[in-house]
Amino acid sequence: MDKFDWQIIQALQKNGRLTNQEIGDLIGLSASQCSRRRQLLEQKGIILGYTARIQQQALGMEVTAMIHINLRTHEASSQQAFQELIEAEDNIQDAFSISGDADFILKVVAENLEQLSHFVTERLLTYSFIGHIKSYIVLKKIKEQNHFLLKSKSHNYHHVHSA
């Protein structure tokens, strides 16, 4: 990857709807060069896809919680069952396997506290492989970032400013 690849990625992280022409104008390449490079980045699995960012409150999801989960055992069957659970539950936005006091952290959204309580008590706690749950209600989102500051091999940070 060279500096143009890094700049293409940076531009797309800020605005995934940019055309190849618009990216080219930002970084000093032709639209066809941007298209070729973009396709290679997609084929290599560096660019995984394009999504729309949605404001959850506009969809009626007023509550966000971070839920720490400990499994009763760490057998392969428990791990597999937990994986299937998190894949099946739309309220679970993100799931992380972690070190420390918990085995997993889940980011869960719900319409209200009642729905969150129902999700924890009537869904999560019904699984025998879950040993302990601790929930934290998000009071205020302070920072949300869905892009990375990219660093090339030469350790120079690349910034692309969109108009």
Side-chain angles (χ1 to χ4, degrees):
M1 288 191 31
D2 64 15
K3 74 174 188 169
F4 291 115
D5 292 329
W6 291 107
Q7 290 174 329
I8 289 169
I9 292 169
Q10 190 73 25
L12 287 171
Q13 285 185 126
K14 290 181 180 181
N15 182 355
R17 297 179 71 177
L18 289 174
T19 66
N20 292 318
Q21 182 63 56
E22 291 168 328
I23 295 169
D25 291 344
L26 286 171
I27 67 173
L29 288 178
S30 69
S32 62
Q33 289 173 315
C34 283
S35 176
R36 182 183 55 77
R37 286 172 177 271
R38 187 181 202 165
Q39 287 174 348
L40 283 172
L41 292 167
E42 291 168 356
Q43 289 169 359
K44 290 178 182 178
I46 295 168
I47 295 176
L48 298 176
Y50 304 88
T51 61
R53 292 179 56 212
I54 308 297
Q55 191 220 33
Q56 74 183 56
Q57 289 82 4
L59 300 178
M61 304 306 258
E62 297 292 332
V63 176
T64 301
M66 305 306 275
I67 300 178
H68 293 199
I69 304 243
N70 288 91
L71 299 183
R72 287 192 195 283
T73 68
H74 293 91
E75 298 170 356
S77 60
S78 293
Q79 298 278 345
Q80 180 62 35
F82 185 72
Q83 180 70 36
E84 290 170 9
L85 162 68
I86 62 174
E87 292 297 330
E89 293 292 342
D90 290 336
N91 288 61
I92 300 173
Q93 297 294 297
D94 294 305
F96 304 94
S97 174
I98 61 167
S99 64
D101 293 338
D103 297 323
F104 300 93
I105 293 180
L106 308 179
K107 177 184 172 189
V108 175
V109 297
E111 291 177 11
N112 51 44
L113 288 174
E114 183 179 345
Q115 186 188 49
L116 177 66
S117 175
H118 182 268
F119 175 74
V120 170
T121 58
E122 304 298 321
R123 296 292 298 148
L124 294 180
L125 287 175
T126 62
Y127 292 95
S128 61
F129 55 83
I130 293 179
H132 182 72
I133 295 176
K134 189 183 283 187
S135 299
Y136 300 88
I137 305 299
V138 174
L139 299 177
K140 180 179 176 184
K141 187 186 308 182
I142 296 171
K143 179 179 180 180
E144 180 179 54
Q145 181 169 309
N146 65 345
H147 63 277
F148 302 95
L149 178 61
L150 300 173
K151 193 174 177 182
S152 72
K153 289 181 182 178
S154 65
H155 303 291
N156 292 324
Y157 289 99
H158 298 282
H159 299 276
V160 176
H161 302 284
S162 54

